[in-house]
Amino acid sequence: MAAAVLSMMGTASLRQAQAEPLEFIFEHYSSDDGLPHNSICDIHQDCRGYLWLCTWYGLSRYDGNGFVNYTMQPGDYSNLSHNRILSVEEDAAGYLWVTTYDYHLYRFDVNLEEFVSVPGDLEDFPVSGMQVSDIMPDRSGNVWVSINGAGLMKVRPDLSYEHYFSSIGKDISSIYEDSEGSVYVVSELGISMVRDGKVSLLSRNSDVVAFEEKNGVLYFACADHLIALDMETREQVKVDFAALGVSEATSMVMTGGSGWIYVGFKDNAVASLDTETLKLTLHKNDMGRVRYLFPDPEGLLWIATERTGIYSFNDSTDTFRHYEHSNNVMSYYVDTLARVEDRGGRLWIKMNNYGFGY
């Protein structure tokens, strides 16, 4: 019945319904309710609907009724090296990957409820005591792991692995995957591509800050220029930022229908790149260092800087707008980065430092 009523609503009525204030019910959970610790570093909802919380005293699963906690206890058989869990990600096979405070990485089997140390528990792994700096789950169920001072490795769902310790660099700053399954790794050597197990060096640029893909072209934003790489021909075009009169690029994001790419900079500016002509247009505002960019479905660009609140940019009118809430809460961490999420046609915005709304 509800679906039938909704299908008969006009666009204006639907917008009016969406614009009406929402009614909220807030529920507060703490260690008194079974949470292992009140400090939470990360939250993830898995493919089955469970919420996983990384706390300062273990990993916790919430099913809507209660918490199940996974911690290292004296005398047990857990191979966790530290109970402070910093982050959690889910791979295509449904495994959870968690990082701990001491730079260790674990794969958690949600069915067996077991942690596997990576690379520590991998069979015949040549080196021990390595610290993990970053991971990237790919579309095929593999997980790419960068290890401080060593390089890159790929871990398959069966826990077999390949490592690239001599050909790809030792200090990896970022890992990306394109739509064809090729993996791009940025290290002190530059930008390398891994495809079908083979490594090729694409560029000597090692200061890449962001990556995007559109219509068969890869875009790498570096500190002072942008590289447009044709995926088929491997031809590269360099677009310099020097003519814009800006300093260092910090971020990049791609919009949907218009084909624009936006680059954020340290000094109060974003630039829009026309992907057809590779022409850059600068847009400046007294907003500080750009840290994060998010394009919404309505065409606005949301900009998080080091300043309190959040900014929006409307490309059609070339105007910026600043949003800020009154500080009516005390945050444990003053510097919490803004986030923008598009859910069901409504934008939910966590502002920088404090402030939350839609």
Side-chain angles (χ1 to χ4, degrees):
M1 181 63 180
V5 173
L6 183 60
S7 67
M8 292 187 292
M9 293 176 63
T11 303
S13 301
L14 181 58
R15 287 178 179 172
Q16 182 180 2
Q18 289 179 337
E20 292 177 357
L22 299 180
E23 295 184 3
F24 298 97
I25 299 176
F26 290 93
E27 296 184 22
H28 178 257
Y29 299 95
S30 70
S31 55
D32 294 336
D33 304 291
L35 195 65
H37 198 283
N38 289 335
S39 292
I40 298 173
C41 299
D42 196 10
I43 301 175
H44 171 74
Q45 185 172 25
D46 70 15
C47 60
R48 301 178 299 173
Y50 292 117
L51 286 179
W52 295 88
L53 302 101
C54 300
T55 80
W56 280 20
Y57 197 73
L59 182 67
S60 184
R61 186 190 73 198
Y62 180 67
D63 62 4
N65 296 306
F67 297 93
V68 176
N69 301 320
Y70 303 90
T71 60
M72 174 183 62
Q73 300 290 342
D76 67 12
Y77 294 98
S78 172
N79 60 356
L80 276 176
S81 59
H82 205 290
N83 273 329
R84 185 177 295 185
I85 311 296
L86 298 184
S87 66
V88 56
E89 290 193 48
E90 185 175 6
D91 66 22
Y95 294 105
L96 298 181
W97 294 75
V98 299
T99 58
T100 54
Y101 187 70
D102 53 358
Y103 302 101
H104 286 192
L105 174 68
Y106 297 87
R107 190 184 80 168
F108 183 69
D109 189 319
V110 297
N111 296 314
L112 299 179
E113 298 185 324
E114 292 180 351
F115 291 94
V116 174
S117 175
V118 177
D121 289 341
L122 299 185
E123 186 176 355
D124 298 325
F125 196 77
V127 185
S128 61
M130 290 188 165
Q131 294 184 336
V132 170
S133 59
D134 193 16
I135 72 167
M136 188 208 69
D138 68 19
R139 299 178 183 86
S140 301
N142 308 304
V143 174
W144 298 80
V145 181
S146 63
I147 301 175
N148 286 331
L152 181 76
M153 62 181 298
K154 179 177 76 172
V155 184
R156 304 182 185 91
D158 63 359
L159 292 179
S160 61
Y161 62 89
E162 296 176 41
H163 63 76
Y164 304 86
F165 287 171
S166 59
S167 58
I168 212 155
K170 293 183 177 181
D171 298 314
I172 296 172
S173 58
S174 51
I175 313 170
Y176 310 106
E177 182 188 18
D178 69 18
S179 58
E180 297 178 350
S182 297
V183 171
Y184 300 84
V185 183
V186 182
S187 72
E188 78 279 6
L189 300 181
I191 306 171
S192 299
M193 180 182 72
V194 184
R195 187 170 187 173
D196 299 327
K198 298 179 180 179
V199 178
S200 57
L201 184 65
L202 299 179
S203 171
R204 294 288 182 183
N205 292 275
S206 59
D207 56 352
V208 176
V209 298
F211 166 87
E212 289 290 350
E213 175 185 347
K214 188 174 183 66
N215 296 334
V217 180
L218 307 179
Y219 298 90
F220 297 88
C222 303
D224 59 3
H225 67 278
L226 181 143
I227 299 173
L229 172 67
D230 189 293
M231 295 173 62
E232 183 177 355
T233 65
R234 297 299 163 187
E235 180 184 355
Q236 300 182 30
V237 177
K238 181 180 178 181
V239 182
D240 286 315
F241 299 142
L244 298 175
V246 293
S247 58
E248 184 178 332
T250 58
S251 54
M252 179 175 65
V253 75
M254 179 179 63
T255 61
S258 66
W260 293 100
I261 283 181
Y262 289 96
V263 182
F265 296 93
K266 278 188 173 181
D267 43 1
N268 305 289
V270 295
S272 53
L273 176 77
D274 187 330
T275 56
E276 296 295 327
T277 64
L278 295 184
K279 178 184 177 181
L280 285 164
T281 304
L282 188 67
H283 313 278
K284 296 207 71 172
N285 185 68
D286 183 22
M287 57 185 173
R289 178 181 183 271
V290 175
R291 300 173 65 185
Y292 174 85
L293 300 172
F294 179 88
D296 73 19
E298 300 298 321
L300 289 180
L301 178 71
W302 294 88
I303 308 167
T305 71
E306 81 273 15
R307 298 182 183 177
T308 297
I310 196 167
Y311 292 81
S312 68
F313 173 70
N314 188 330
D315 190 84
S316 62
T317 59
D318 197 24
T319 55
F320 291 86
R321 183 176 176 183
H322 182 227
Y323 301 84
E324 184 177 2
H325 280 182
S326 58
N327 187 6
N328 56 2
V329 295
M330 180 61 69
S331 175
Y332 185 80
Y333 291 113
V334 176
D335 183 21
T336 58
L337 187 59
R339 284 195 59 140
V340 181
E341 294 281 346
D342 177 24
R343 295 294 179 92
R346 193 184 301 269
L347 285 181
W348 294 90
I349 301 175
K350 160 66 183 71
M351 298 182 185
N352 202 39
N353 292 337
Y354 50 82
F356 178 74
Y358 65 88

